[in-house]
Amino acid sequence: MTDLHAEYAPAAPPAQLPRQPLRLSCVVPAYNEQANIEGFLRALAETVRALTPDFEIVVVNDGSRDATHELSLRLAQELPLRYLALSRNFGKEAALSAGIDHARGNAVLLIDADFQHPLEMLAEMHELWQSGYEMVYGVIADRAAESGAKRMGTRLFYRVMNSGSSVKMPPNAGDFRWMDRKVVDALKALPENNRFMKGLYAWVGFKTVALPFVPKDRAAGSSSFNLRRLGSLALLGLTSFTTLPLRIWSMVGAGISLLALAYGLWIAIEALFFGNPLRGWPTLAASIMLFSGVQLLSIGILGEYIGRIYEEVKRRPIYLVAHDEDRSPLREREREPS
């Protein structure tokens, strides 16, 4: 284990009390994963069965348009599975929230269905949880396979987020993580609808540790996260966890106001001492266009924050479940203390 991101993942002391026997809930969001879902769930079940006989797999179908639904229903007859089909595509953040809400174990694993998160890391995650850590998260150690634009955008995003927010998010950390029940309960208690999960993981705190890994290639299919969706996710993070854009544009407005004041003073001095010939129309036109653009951009940034407030005050549910096939062996133990 490498000491990555010590600022974000402080060392945890040994557990004060022994852990209760592991009852693991594996949350698997799925969107158009018909090519991967069967092989992945069988491999996941085999890997987890070596850690504990008490586990469930919570598959959340986020409005898939392929055969993910039919395959998951069939697998629910064979595997310790709880299958949730959302009424439409709500996005991965909502799908993760649905899985977390319905997980019953005293530990919860979040893992993607495309084989990019290495199953062989689960044993180490389990050991770290047993030693006293309450959240173990994967950190991408090598992004060489990604495009230069995506790597640059990722670096810029984390730099902006961590400079404008009191909650520091570990760079290159994703949704691949193992969480104790107390972390899960803390996440479930957060009331906001616009859920940027990477920020929420950092906000709740607890004793955490980072594990570096290199994502594997997708076993089949292609990722649904294109640049547009990644940009939307980044905008959600910025408007959910930092007011830095508002502060930046406040400073830009103040700077432009000072420049305009200085320019107005220069025009007055020029008129008093050198007369006032009819000139300056290009400067005037350029100034009007510049200030109009700055104002519209500022209004747009403000509108993003107002839009988030509008979504929150409506208090609509984060997701809607259209089908719940519950074959989980943990369902009878749901009321037991963890």
Side-chain angles (χ1 to χ4, degrees):
M1 182 179 63
T2 305
D3 184 19
L4 283 182
H5 310 301
E7 177 184 355
Y8 309 99
Q16 301 299 314
L17 295 173
R19 296 283 193 193
Q20 291 187 352
L22 174 63
R23 300 199 307 274
L24 182 63
S25 295
C26 304
V27 173
V28 183
Y31 178 66
N32 292 341
E33 293 288 357
Q34 67 175 10
N36 295 314
I37 192 73
E38 181 170 2
F40 176 78
L41 292 182
R42 293 188 186 280
L44 176 63
E46 182 180 354
T47 302
V48 174
R49 196 171 282 117
L51 303 177
T52 177
D54 294 328
F55 71 95
E56 65 176 358
I57 301 175
V58 182
V59 176
V60 183
N61 182 1
D62 187 24
S64 297
R65 299 180 179 180
D66 60 4
T68 300
H69 178 73
E70 292 77 10
L71 288 170
S72 298
L73 285 176
R74 178 169 61 80
L75 289 167
Q77 312 302 317
E78 308 173 34
L79 298 175
L81 194 69
R82 183 171 190 181
Y83 171 63
L84 302 172
L86 304 188
S87 61
R88 63 171 176 83
N89 178 244
F90 286 88
K92 188 178 182 182
E93 311 297 288
L96 287 169
S97 297
I100 289 171
D101 288 346
H102 290 83
R104 298 180 170 113
N106 59 0
V108 175
L109 170 72
L110 306 182
I111 188 168
D112 289 348
D114 54 11
F115 284 98
Q116 289 194 291
H117 295 159
L119 293 172
E120 55 269 21
M121 286 180 60
L122 300 191
E124 188 173 3
M125 287 179 158
H126 176 226
E127 291 177 4
L128 290 168
W129 176 73
Q130 290 281 12
S131 71
Y133 289 101
E134 292 156 336
M135 182 156 48
V136 184
Y137 60 89
V139 173
I140 298 176
D142 185 4
R143 289 185 175 269
E146 298 177 354
S147 66
K150 185 177 179 180
R151 292 198 303 270
M152 185 180 302
T154 300
R155 286 196 298 269
L156 177 62
F157 170 75
Y158 281 109
R159 188 169 300 171
V160 171
M161 288 294 297
N162 287 331
S163 63
S165 174
S166 59
V167 178
K168 304 301 180 184
M169 288 189 295
N172 301 318
D175 298 311
F176 181 36
R177 59 189 64 218
W178 181 300
M179 301 180 295
D180 185 75
R181 168 51 59 177
K182 64 178 65 176
V183 180
V184 173
D185 289 340
L187 289 171
K188 290 172 63 176
L190 300 179
E192 60 257 49
N193 283 14
N194 290 289
R195 299 178 75 82
F196 179 62
M197 297 303 296
K198 294 179 181 64
L200 297 182
Y201 301 141
W203 189 89
V204 297
F206 296 98
K207 294 178 289 188
T208 62
V209 64
L211 278 181
F213 77 100
V214 178
K216 298 181 178 181
D217 294 332
R218 286 181 60 92
S222 59
S223 174
S224 61
F225 274 90
N226 52 32
L227 287 178
R228 181 183 63 82
R229 296 189 69 175
L230 289 173
S232 298
L233 183 61
L235 184 60
L236 171 63
L238 285 172
T239 53
S240 298
F241 273 86
T242 177
T243 57
L244 183 62
L246 294 176
R247 293 202 298 269
I248 288 175
W249 283 102
S250 295
M251 292 185 288
V252 169
I256 291 177
S257 297
L258 290 174
L259 289 175
L261 182 61
Y263 185 58
L265 183 61
W266 164 253
I267 291 175
I269 293 174
E270 185 182 35
L272 286 173
F273 291 97
F274 303 104
N276 188 19
L278 187 63
R279 58 178 181 172
W281 288 109
T283 302
L284 179 62
S287 300
I288 291 174
M289 288 189 292
L290 171 64
F291 295 151
S292 299
V294 169
Q295 287 177 337
L296 289 174
L297 184 58
S298 302
I299 292 171
I301 293 174
L302 184 61
E304 285 291 334
Y305 283 89
I306 295 174
R308 304 295 178 199
I309 297 171
Y310 174 66
E311 292 294 330
E312 290 292 333
V313 298
K314 288 189 290 188
R315 306 308 301 162
R316 288 176 180 170
I318 302 169
Y319 58 86
L320 294 174
V321 176
H323 185 91
D324 184 355
E325 186 76 13
D326 191 359
R327 300 301 179 98
S328 169
L330 301 186
R331 64 184 182 275
E332 301 299 330
R333 308 176 64 177
E334 188 172 11
R335 297 182 181 275
E336 292 186 11
S338 58

